[in-house]
């Protein structure tokens, strides 16, 4: 499906909301929540505490999208305040680890208390139904913003992230079916090069989904192992991966796509039907296959 151009009014509306919410939550104040530090440092305390045994600056840099120098300065400022402890990873001296000190835990607890009070005060101006509507709207916004931030990249079928995703996919199916071995997975060469493709979805540097395409015969391709990590499900990511696979198929001169799936994968079957795939008789004998689908591609097929 061809992506629609973002309208200027949509950009303006998003920016208006950003300006409003940053003002209301105190993001512009150098003394966020009255604790003597800006929002960036306060957020860093939260992120460090979220990892119970400490977290590396490298991980924080990827998760928060911060410049390495800026992040290092914030961490050192918190260390000088006695809020965090910075050390070298015991197994990799290239990694600097950050963890909260006892004082940091106390500070974060007070930070969370103050944030809860401020939020409750803000919501008091709404009725119960309005608060429910706002909560639902925020959940929708978070879901869509997460999806927007995820990137889908084509990788070699033998790439470490590709194989890691397939291993996770196999583990998922083993939990459902009782057994699903590496021999049931597509080979790297089948989903690489001119006749195949493999895509991995990344969220904050972490692989959270995948999907493969291989050629069955001239003009006919097959989708393999479309998978999304449990943490990233119900975002619409599987459809995005599917869009990339369809585009890759069209680029390779494939006009018909086929796939098989198991009866227990009801969500997958519903998605394929919604995306224009129709059920067909079995085209291949596979021990886990109960349903078979195909879709004729349009010459204008592009990724979402």
């Amino acid at each position: 499906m061809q992506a629609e151009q973002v309208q200027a009014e949509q950009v303006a509306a998003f920016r208006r909301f950003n300006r409003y919410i940053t003002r209301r939550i105190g993001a512009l104040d150098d003394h966020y929540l009255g604790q003597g530090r800006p929002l960036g440092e306060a957020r860093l305390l939260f992120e460090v505490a979220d990892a119970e045994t400490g977290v590396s600056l490298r991980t924080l840099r990827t998760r928060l999208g911060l410049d390495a120098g800026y992040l290092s300065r914030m961490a050192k400022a918190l260390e000088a305040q006695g809020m965090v402890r910075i050390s070298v990873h015991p197994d990799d001296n290239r990694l600097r680890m950050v963890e909260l000190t006892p004082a940091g835990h106390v500070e974060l607890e007070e930070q969370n208390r103050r944030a809860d009070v401020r939020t409750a005060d803000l919501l008091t101006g709404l009725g119960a139904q309005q608060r429910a509507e706002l909560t639902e709207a925020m959940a929708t916004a978070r879901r869509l913003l997460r999806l927007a931030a995820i990137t889908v990249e084509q990788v070699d079928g033998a790439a470490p992230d590709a194989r890691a995703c397939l291993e996770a996919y196999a583990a998922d199916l083993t939990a459902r079916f009782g057994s699903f071995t590496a021999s049931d997975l597509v080979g790297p060469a089948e989903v690489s090069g001119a006749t195949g493709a493999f895509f991995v979805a990344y969220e904050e540097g972490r692989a959270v989904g995948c999907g493969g395409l291989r050629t069955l015969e001239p003009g006919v391709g097959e989708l393999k192992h479309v998978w999304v990590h449990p943490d990233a499900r119900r975002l619409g990511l599987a459809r995005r991966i599917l869009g990339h696979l369809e585009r890759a198929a069209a680029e390779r001169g494939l006009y018909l796509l086929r796939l098989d799936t198991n009866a227990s994968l009801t969500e997958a079957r519903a998605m394929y039907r919604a995306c224009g795939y129709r059920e067909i008789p079995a085209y291949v004998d596979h021990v886990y296959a109960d349903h078979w689908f195909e879709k004729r591609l349009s010459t204008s097929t592009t990724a979402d």
Side-chain angles (χ1 to χ4, degrees):
M1 183 176 71
Q2 187 167 357
E4 298 179 1
Q5 184 175 3
V6 177
Q7 299 177 8
E9 176 53 31
Q10 293 171 329
V11 173
F14 190 90
R15 294 187 62 200
R16 282 196 299 271
F17 177 80
N18 281 348
R19 288 193 295 270
Y20 177 80
I21 199 66
T22 51
R23 176 171 59 84
R24 289 308 302 263
I25 67 172
L28 306 179
D29 192 343
D30 282 341
H31 300 277
Y32 178 65
L33 297 175
Q35 287 188 289
R37 65 179 55 84
L39 176 61
E41 291 182 10
R43 177 59 187 270
L44 189 56
L45 278 178
F46 173 85
E47 294 292 341
V48 172
D50 199 38
E52 296 181 358
T53 59
V55 61
S56 71
L57 286 177
R58 178 187 299 173
T59 297
L60 289 170
R61 185 170 69 246
T62 300
R63 183 188 305 165
L64 299 175
L66 295 176
D67 172 77
Y70 177 59
L71 176 61
S72 179
R73 288 192 296 274
M74 281 203 300
K76 288 179 180 178
L78 289 174
E79 184 181 39
Q81 298 166 29
M83 299 293 105
V84 303
R85 182 182 302 107
I86 302 176
S87 60
V88 176
H89 192 285
D91 299 322
D92 187 345
N93 58 18
R94 297 171 300 177
L95 293 178
R96 286 187 297 165
M97 304 297 295
V98 188
E99 60 180 330
L100 290 188
T101 63
H105 282 286
V106 172
E107 184 78 356
L108 181 63
E109 184 176 347
E110 175 62 15
Q111 176 178 301
N112 286 333
R113 187 194 68 79
R114 295 188 184 195
D116 286 346
V117 170
R118 175 172 290 191
T119 302
D121 287 345
L122 179 62
L123 295 179
T124 299
L126 299 177
Q129 180 59 37
Q130 292 169 322
R131 290 195 295 269
E133 290 176 7
L134 177 59
T135 300
E136 182 178 356
M138 289 188 295
T140 298
R142 182 177 184 273
R143 175 179 63 83
L144 293 176
L145 287 172
R146 279 189 67 191
L147 180 62
I150 292 174
T151 60
V152 180
E153 302 176 16
Q154 185 173 345
V155 304
D156 188 273
D161 284 340
R163 305 324 293 179
C165 281
L166 289 180
E167 289 174 5
Y169 167 85
D172 266 4
L173 294 192
T174 295
R176 293 198 185 205
F177 306 152
S179 65
F180 192 94
T181 65
S183 62
D184 297 306
L185 296 173
V186 68
E190 298 177 89
V191 290
S192 301
T195 60
F198 198 88
F199 292 90
V200 172
Y202 293 93
E203 181 177 28
E204 298 177 350
R206 180 175 65 110
V208 294
C210 71
L213 165 73
R214 68 178 178 184
T215 299
L216 290 178
E217 58 186 75
V220 181
E222 184 179 36
L223 301 182
K224 300 295 294 182
H225 313 326
V226 177
W227 170 81
V228 173
H229 191 282
D231 290 347
R233 289 173 187 167
R234 291 174 292 280
L235 299 178
L237 180 55
R239 290 196 182 206
R240 174 176 288 181
I241 294 171
L242 186 60
H244 281 270
L245 291 167
E246 290 180 354
R247 180 180 180 180
E251 291 173 347
R252 286 160 177 74
L254 304 176
Y255 59 85
L256 191 68
L257 282 181
R258 290 176 176 162
L259 64 96
D260 65 67
T261 189
N262 187 269
S264 69
L265 303 178
T266 55
E267 301 92 341
R269 298 205 314 277
M271 179 192 71
Y272 290 128
R273 290 193 181 99
C275 292
Y277 289 78
R278 65 182 185 88
E279 197 153 358
I280 59 173
Y283 67 88
V284 65
D285 183 20
H286 190 275
V287 64
Y288 300 110
D290 300 307
H291 298 269
W292 297 261
F293 291 86
E294 74 175 16
K295 177 180 181 180
R296 188 169 293 272
L297 298 180
S298 165
T299 55
S300 61
T301 297
T302 60
D304 287 340

